[in-house]
Amino acid sequence: MKNRPAPEIAALSAPVATLDDLAKLANYSLMDTLNCDPQATADGADHAPRQVFSGHYVPVQPTPIKDPEYVAHSQIFFRELNFADSLAQSADFVRMFSGDLTHVPLPLRKVGWATGYALSIYGKEYYQQCPFRTGNGYGDGRALSVLEAVINGRRWEMQLKGGGRTPYCRGADGRAVLRSSVREFLAQEHMHALGVPTSRALSLYVSKTEQVQRPWYSQGSHAQDPDRLITEAVAITTRVAPSFIRVGQLELFGRRARKEEHPQALQELEQLVLHLIAREYAEVIDPQLNIGAKVLLLAGAFRSRLTALVANWIRVGYCQGNFNGDNCAAGGFTLDYGPFGFCEVFDPFYQPWTGGGEHFSFLNQPVAAERNFQMFCTALRPLLDPLEDADCLHQLDDICSGFAAVMQAQMQQMWAAKLGLGTFHPTLFSELETLMRQTPVDYSLFFRELSSLPDDIEPLKKSFYQGSLGDRQGLELRWSKWLKQWQTLVGVGTSDESTDQRRNREELSRQMKRVNPKYTLREWFLAPAYSQASACNYALVRELQAVMTQPYAEQSQAVEDSYHRRKPAELFNVGGLSHLSCSS
C-alpha cells in the first residue's frame, strides 16, 4: 500500500454523491470467494462470544450507535475516492457508517463480516488470553467490515471500528469511545500526510445519547494505570484499506494447517494466501505461477514493505506501542491505532503503552517487526511440501533470515536522509544519538531545526529540554564539534558562499524538510481535542486535522506557536498524556 499525495481526480465520472451511487461500486470479494464459518447465521445475528473453528469470516450485523452525529470526515480521502463532501453528512451515509445496514440500497448487503486471527507476542504463540484457551476466540472483537468497493480502479475495504459485538468480542461491549476514535481518525489522517503507509480515515460519528464506562486517568494523575471509571460517548470511525488481512490471520490458518485441526485446514490457508496476493500483491505476483513461487515472491515483497514501513515509523518518531502479529497488516501498512505515540524527548526505549515493555519500544520496532515476519513465514510453510518443495523451503528460510540485513539497510538509508547525507555515516550518527540522549532533545524539533542548516548550535537549542543538561558547557562544545563535522559532510559552509553554494544549501534544506516533519501528533495536542469533543465542540478536532494534514508545511505563526514547541514540563509523566494503559 503506497501512500502518495492525494491525486487529482480526472473528470471521468460524476462524483459519488449518494449512497445509491456508492452501491454501484460494491464488490464483495472476500465474502464471495472465501469460506463462511459453517456455524454462522445468515442474518448476522451473531453477537455472543463463541469459538469459531473454521471458515475465513463470520457474517455479523453491526450494532448501530444511537442518535449519531457527524464529527469529521477526511476531505483529502474523499477527493481521492471522488466522493462529494456533502455525502459525509447525508442521512443514508451517516446511517450506514454509524452501523445501521437495515435500509441500504441493493446491491449493498445488510450484514458485515468479522475475521479471526491468532495472537503472537514478539514471536511467541499465545493461547491463554483466549477465553477458550484454544485460540479460536481471537479476532475482530469490535471491528466490522461493511463494504468492499472498486473505486477508480482500486479495491477498498471499509471497516467500522466500534460497530458492536462479534463472536470474537470475549465478553466486551464491542464499542469504541469518542476519545479513542478521535485519536485513531486524526492519526490516520496525519500518517498519510507524513507519507507513511497506513489505513485511511473515512468518517467519524458519535452518539448523542449512548454512553459506556471506561477506566481512565484523573486529571493530572501520575499513575501508570487508570485510577477511575468515566462515562464516555460511544463513536464509530470508519477506516479503509485495500484489505484488513493481518499477519495474525495467516498465523491462525497456518496453525490449523500445521496441526491438521480440520480436513479443510490446509485448503483454507492456501485460499487465504491467494486472496491476500490478489488484494495486496497482484502487481508483483503472476497468478499463473505455482504455489511455491507465489509464496517466495509474497515473502520477499512483504519483507520489503515491512522494513520500509518500520523505517518510516522511526523517521517520523512514531511508536506503535503494541506491535503484535495481530496488529501487523499483511499488506505492509500501519494498522490499529491503539496505544501509539509520537516520540518527544528522544529515548530509544520510548514506549507509550504501560503494558508494552522494551520489546515494543521506539528503536526496538525493527526487531519486533522481524519477529512478526518470522511468524508470517512460519504460517506460510505448510503450503510447501518438504519433499516436493525442499528448495522453496530453503529459499523461504533465506528470505526470513535475511530480514535483519534488509532492515538495517532501510534504517541506514533513513538516517542518512534525515541528516541530508548521501550515505550513512556511523560515527557521526553514533555521536548524535549519544548527544540527543544526554542533552536531551525533542526528536522532531531537533531534526526540523537541523533541516534549516544552522551556522551554529543556537537554533538547535530550541529542541533542548532543560531538565538534565549536566555539564552544559561540555555538552555545548560537543554539539558544536558535531555540527562542524556534519556541515563538512553535507558540504555547507558558514560564510563567503558562492551563488551555486547558496543554491545547493537551499536545495539541501528543502530535501531535508521533506523528510523531517515540522508537526507531529503529540498526545497533549490530542487530549484537549477529545475533551472538547466530549462537550460537542469539534472545533479543535478539525483544527488538528487541518494542521496535521500539512506536517511538512510552513504554516501560520499562530500554528507554529501552538504546535511547533517542546512539551511543557508540567505535562511530563501525566497519565493519558505521557503514557496510557488502554485505548478503548
mmCIF file of all heavy atoms in Angstrom, residues 372-394:
data_model
loop_
_atom_site.group_PDB
_atom_site.id
_atom_site.type_symbol
_atom_site.label_atom_id
_atom_site.label_comp_id
_atom_site.label_asym_id
_atom_site.label_seq_id
_atom_site.Cartn_x
_atom_site.Cartn_y
_atom_site.Cartn_z
ATOM 1 N N ASN A 372 7.549 -10.558 13.908
ATOM 2 C CA ASN A 372 6.291 -10.722 13.178
ATOM 3 C C ASN A 372 6.528 -11.360 11.816
ATOM 4 O O ASN A 372 5.735 -12.194 11.356
ATOM 5 C CB ASN A 372 5.599 -9.370 13.000
ATOM 6 C CG ASN A 372 4.992 -8.848 14.286
ATOM 7 O OD1 ASN A 372 4.719 -9.609 15.213
ATOM 8 N ND2 ASN A 372 4.776 -7.549 14.358
ATOM 9 N N PHE A 373 7.629 -10.984 11.167
ATOM 10 C CA PHE A 373 7.929 -11.563 9.849
ATOM 11 C C PHE A 373 8.250 -13.050 9.981
ATOM 12 O O PHE A 373 7.869 -13.851 9.120
ATOM 13 C CB PHE A 373 9.081 -10.812 9.192
ATOM 14 C CG PHE A 373 9.356 -11.264 7.784
ATOM 15 C CD1 PHE A 373 8.441 -11.002 6.775
ATOM 16 C CD2 PHE A 373 10.512 -11.973 7.473
ATOM 17 C CE1 PHE A 373 8.677 -11.430 5.465
ATOM 18 C CE2 PHE A 373 10.760 -12.405 6.178
ATOM 19 C CZ PHE A 373 9.842 -12.122 5.166
ATOM 20 N N GLN A 374 8.927 -13.424 11.035
ATOM 21 C CA GLN A 374 9.200 -14.839 11.260
ATOM 22 C C GLN A 374 7.903 -15.630 11.407
ATOM 23 O O GLN A 374 7.778 -16.744 10.864
ATOM 24 C CB GLN A 374 10.071 -15.011 12.509
ATOM 25 C CG GLN A 374 11.502 -14.527 12.324
ATOM 26 C CD GLN A 374 12.271 -14.427 13.634
ATOM 27 O OE1 GLN A 374 11.686 -14.548 14.713
ATOM 28 N NE2 GLN A 374 13.575 -14.197 13.546
ATOM 29 N N MET A 375 6.930 -15.050 12.125
ATOM 30 C CA MET A 375 5.637 -15.736 12.282
ATOM 31 C C MET A 375 4.892 -15.795 10.950
ATOM 32 O O MET A 375 4.189 -16.776 10.662
ATOM 33 C CB MET A 375 4.802 -15.019 13.344
ATOM 34 C CG MET A 375 5.474 -14.916 14.711
ATOM 35 S SD MET A 375 6.065 -16.501 15.348
ATOM 36 C CE MET A 375 4.518 -17.292 15.797
ATOM 37 N N PHE A 376 5.039 -14.750 10.139
ATOM 38 C CA PHE A 376 4.454 -14.729 8.795
ATOM 39 C C PHE A 376 5.012 -15.889 7.973
ATOM 40 O O PHE A 376 4.260 -16.649 7.339
ATOM 41 C CB PHE A 376 4.779 -13.381 8.149
ATOM 42 C CG PHE A 376 4.294 -13.193 6.747
ATOM 43 C CD1 PHE A 376 3.012 -12.730 6.491
ATOM 44 C CD2 PHE A 376 5.136 -13.440 5.668
ATOM 45 C CE1 PHE A 376 2.572 -12.524 5.181
ATOM 46 C CE2 PHE A 376 4.701 -13.250 4.357
ATOM 47 C CZ PHE A 376 3.419 -12.792 4.124
ATOM 48 N N CYS A 377 6.323 -16.047 7.967
ATOM 49 C CA CYS A 377 6.944 -17.123 7.198
ATOM 50 C C CYS A 377 6.571 -18.492 7.751
ATOM 51 O O CYS A 377 6.342 -19.446 6.986
ATOM 52 C CB CYS A 377 8.464 -16.945 7.189
ATOM 53 S SG CYS A 377 9.022 -15.500 6.255
ATOM 54 N N THR A 378 6.487 -18.612 9.062
ATOM 55 C CA THR A 378 6.067 -19.874 9.683
ATOM 56 C C THR A 378 4.665 -20.257 9.227
ATOM 57 O O THR A 378 4.376 -21.435 8.969
ATOM 58 C CB THR A 378 6.118 -19.751 11.213
ATOM 59 O OG1 THR A 378 7.466 -19.502 11.622
ATOM 60 C CG2 THR A 378 5.603 -21.016 11.889
ATOM 61 N N ALA A 379 3.790 -19.250 9.116
ATOM 62 C CA ALA A 379 2.413 -19.517 8.688
ATOM 63 C C ALA A 379 2.361 -20.020 7.248
ATOM 64 O O ALA A 379 1.467 -20.798 6.883
ATOM 65 C CB ALA A 379 1.569 -18.250 8.835
ATOM 66 N N LEU A 380 3.302 -19.586 6.411
ATOM 67 C CA LEU A 380 3.309 -19.993 5.004
ATOM 68 C C LEU A 380 3.880 -21.393 4.786
ATOM 69 O O LEU A 380 3.595 -22.032 3.779
ATOM 70 C CB LEU A 380 4.123 -18.993 4.167
ATOM 71 C CG LEU A 380 3.637 -17.547 4.119
ATOM 72 C CD1 LEU A 380 4.589 -16.709 3.276
ATOM 73 C CD2 LEU A 380 2.223 -17.467 3.547
ATOM 74 N N ARG A 381 4.681 -21.862 5.709
ATOM 75 C CA ARG A 381 5.432 -23.107 5.498
ATOM 76 C C ARG A 381 4.551 -24.324 5.193
ATOM 77 O O ARG A 381 4.940 -25.176 4.367
ATOM 78 C CB ARG A 381 6.331 -23.403 6.706
ATOM 79 C CG ARG A 381 7.529 -22.478 6.808
ATOM 80 C CD ARG A 381 8.411 -22.871 8.000
ATOM 81 N NE ARG A 381 9.078 -24.132 7.768
ATOM 82 C CZ ARG A 381 10.251 -24.270 7.147
ATOM 83 N NH1 ARG A 381 10.866 -23.190 6.671
ATOM 84 N NH2 ARG A 381 10.792 -25.455 6.974
ATOM 85 N N PRO A 382 3.368 -24.483 5.814
ATOM 86 C CA PRO A 382 2.563 -25.671 5.487
ATOM 87 C C PRO A 382 2.171 -25.769 4.020
ATOM 88 O O PRO A 382 1.796 -26.860 3.557
ATOM 89 C CB PRO A 382 1.325 -25.511 6.381
ATOM 90 C CG PRO A 382 1.792 -24.691 7.539
ATOM 91 C CD PRO A 382 2.768 -23.725 6.942
ATOM 92 N N LEU A 383 2.250 -24.663 3.284
ATOM 93 C CA LEU A 383 1.900 -24.703 1.860
ATOM 94 C C LEU A 383 2.995 -25.336 1.018
ATOM 95 O O LEU A 383 2.775 -25.632 -0.162
ATOM 96 C CB LEU A 383 1.626 -23.285 1.347
ATOM 97 C CG LEU A 383 0.423 -22.571 1.962
ATOM 98 C CD1 LEU A 383 0.339 -21.148 1.454
ATOM 99 C CD2 LEU A 383 -0.868 -23.325 1.663
ATOM 100 N N LEU A 384 4.178 -25.547 1.606
ATOM 101 C CA LEU A 384 5.312 -26.100 0.868
ATOM 102 C C LEU A 384 5.588 -27.519 1.355
ATOM 103 O O LEU A 384 5.858 -27.739 2.535
ATOM 104 C CB LEU A 384 6.547 -25.219 1.068
ATOM 105 C CG LEU A 384 6.372 -23.747 0.676
ATOM 106 C CD1 LEU A 384 7.626 -22.952 1.009
ATOM 107 C CD2 LEU A 384 6.026 -23.618 -0.805
ATOM 108 N N ASP A 385 5.516 -28.471 0.453
ATOM 109 C CA ASP A 385 5.749 -29.873 0.801
ATOM 110 C C ASP A 385 7.242 -30.099 1.042
ATOM 111 O O ASP A 385 8.075 -29.699 0.205
ATOM 112 C CB ASP A 385 5.263 -30.769 -0.342
ATOM 113 C CG ASP A 385 5.374 -32.239 -0.007
ATOM 114 O OD1 ASP A 385 6.479 -32.800 -0.164
ATOM 115 O OD2 ASP A 385 4.359 -32.819 0.416
ATOM 116 N N PRO A 386 7.617 -30.728 2.167
ATOM 117 C CA PRO A 386 9.044 -30.918 2.483
ATOM 118 C C PRO A 386 9.803 -31.678 1.392
ATOM 119 O O PRO A 386 11.006 -31.471 1.223
ATOM 120 C CB PRO A 386 9.024 -31.716 3.790
ATOM 121 C CG PRO A 386 7.688 -31.429 4.389
ATOM 122 C CD PRO A 386 6.749 -31.239 3.239
ATOM 123 N N LEU A 387 9.133 -32.564 0.658
ATOM 124 C CA LEU A 387 9.804 -33.343 -0.384
ATOM 125 C C LEU A 387 9.758 -32.631 -1.733
ATOM 126 O O LEU A 387 10.786 -32.444 -2.392
ATOM 127 C CB LEU A 387 9.165 -34.733 -0.494
ATOM 128 C CG LEU A 387 9.294 -35.618 0.762
ATOM 129 C CD1 LEU A 387 8.558 -36.935 0.552
ATOM 130 C CD2 LEU A 387 10.758 -35.872 1.093
ATOM 131 N N GLU A 388 8.574 -32.212 -2.139
ATOM 132 C CA GLU A 388 8.432 -31.605 -3.459
ATOM 133 C C GLU A 388 8.964 -30.173 -3.503
ATOM 134 O O GLU A 388 9.418 -29.700 -4.550
ATOM 135 C CB GLU A 388 6.953 -31.614 -3.877
ATOM 136 C CG GLU A 388 6.381 -33.017 -4.069
ATOM 137 C CD GLU A 388 4.929 -32.979 -4.517
ATOM 138 O OE1 GLU A 388 4.447 -31.873 -4.841
ATOM 139 O OE2 GLU A 388 4.292 -34.045 -4.543
ATOM 140 N N ASP A 389 8.898 -29.477 -2.378
ATOM 141 C CA ASP A 389 9.274 -28.059 -2.366
ATOM 142 C C ASP A 389 10.464 -27.787 -1.453
ATOM 143 O O ASP A 389 10.565 -26.725 -0.842
ATOM 144 C CB ASP A 389 8.078 -27.213 -1.896
ATOM 145 C CG ASP A 389 6.853 -27.390 -2.767
ATOM 146 O OD1 ASP A 389 6.965 -27.148 -3.975
ATOM 147 O OD2 ASP A 389 5.796 -27.766 -2.229
ATOM 148 N N ALA A 390 11.384 -28.748 -1.367
ATOM 149 C CA ALA A 390 12.522 -28.596 -0.452
ATOM 150 C C ALA A 390 13.327 -27.343 -0.784
ATOM 151 O O ALA A 390 13.750 -26.591 0.111
ATOM 152 C CB ALA A 390 13.410 -29.838 -0.511
ATOM 153 N N ASP A 391 13.536 -27.080 -2.064
ATOM 154 C CA ASP A 391 14.309 -25.894 -2.448
ATOM 155 C C ASP A 391 13.570 -24.620 -2.071
ATOM 156 O O ASP A 391 14.185 -23.645 -1.600
ATOM 157 C CB ASP A 391 14.588 -25.917 -3.955
ATOM 158 C CG ASP A 391 15.492 -24.770 -4.381
ATOM 159 O OD1 ASP A 391 16.599 -24.637 -3.820
ATOM 160 O OD2 ASP A 391 15.076 -23.989 -5.268
ATOM 161 N N CYS A 392 12.254 -24.615 -2.246
ATOM 162 C CA CYS A 392 11.456 -23.435 -1.855
ATOM 163 C C CYS A 392 11.531 -23.202 -0.349
ATOM 164 O O CYS A 392 11.604 -22.051 0.103
ATOM 165 C CB CYS A 392 10.003 -23.624 -2.278
ATOM 166 S SG CYS A 392 9.709 -23.437 -4.048
ATOM 167 N N LEU A 393 11.528 -24.279 0.415
ATOM 168 C CA LEU A 393 11.625 -24.124 1.867
ATOM 169 C C LEU A 393 12.951 -23.501 2.256
ATOM 170 O O LEU A 393 13.008 -22.629 3.139
ATOM 171 C CB LEU A 393 11.448 -25.486 2.544
ATOM 172 C CG LEU A 393 10.012 -25.986 2.653
ATOM 173 C CD1 LEU A 393 9.977 -27.471 3.017
ATOM 174 C CD2 LEU A 393 9.225 -25.167 3.680
ATOM 175 N N HIS A 394 14.022 -23.916 1.606
ATOM 176 C CA HIS A 394 15.332 -23.321 1.887
ATOM 177 C C HIS A 394 15.335 -21.832 1.507
ATOM 178 O O HIS A 394 15.875 -20.995 2.242
ATOM 179 C CB HIS A 394 16.430 -24.065 1.126
ATOM 180 C CG HIS A 394 16.732 -25.436 1.656
ATOM 181 N ND1 HIS A 394 16.992 -25.686 2.998
ATOM 182 C CD2 HIS A 394 16.817 -26.640 1.028
ATOM 183 C CE1 HIS A 394 17.218 -26.977 3.171
ATOM 184 N NE2 HIS A 394 17.109 -27.584 1.993
#
